[in-house]
Amino acid sequence: WIGLVTVAVDKAWLQKTPDAKSTRGAYIVKGDVVGVLALKDGAAKVEFVDGDNRSFMGWIGQDQYARVKMPGG
């Protein structure tokens, strides 16, 4: 991962490409912290690992995430 972001919207669908707008398949929810694999035109390719250690990857839009603030920072 090149960084961490927090999901800032109620539901962010994991897209196959940075500019896709699907509302089907896997999604992450507000407050989830996800690892960033790549950035392209503001979109972030992210990885989410659930409680069962299953990994989900996809793109989310720039308006769907916020950078994680470090404690005391």
Side-chain angles (χ1 to χ4, degrees):
W1 296 339
I2 59 172
L4 297 173
V5 295
T6 303
V7 179
V9 293
D10 290 337
K11 188 181 285 187
W13 299 93
L14 296 174
Q15 307 295 331
K16 292 183 179 178
T17 61
D19 54 356
K21 300 292 182 207
S22 175
T23 55
R24 302 180 73 185
Y27 62 87
I28 48 184
V29 296
K30 190 170 190 169
D32 283 345
V33 176
V34 294
V36 178
L37 302 168
L39 295 167
K40 182 177 182 183
D41 299 327
K45 185 173 186 179
V46 299
E47 178 181 25
F48 175 74
V49 180
D50 71 9
D52 294 325
N53 211 30
R54 293 178 299 186
S55 173
F56 299 87
M57 287 183 268
W59 291 90
I60 59 174
Q62 186 172 10
D63 60 340
Q64 296 180 310
Y65 67 86
R67 295 200 180 273
V68 171
K69 292 179 177 64
M70 299 303 287

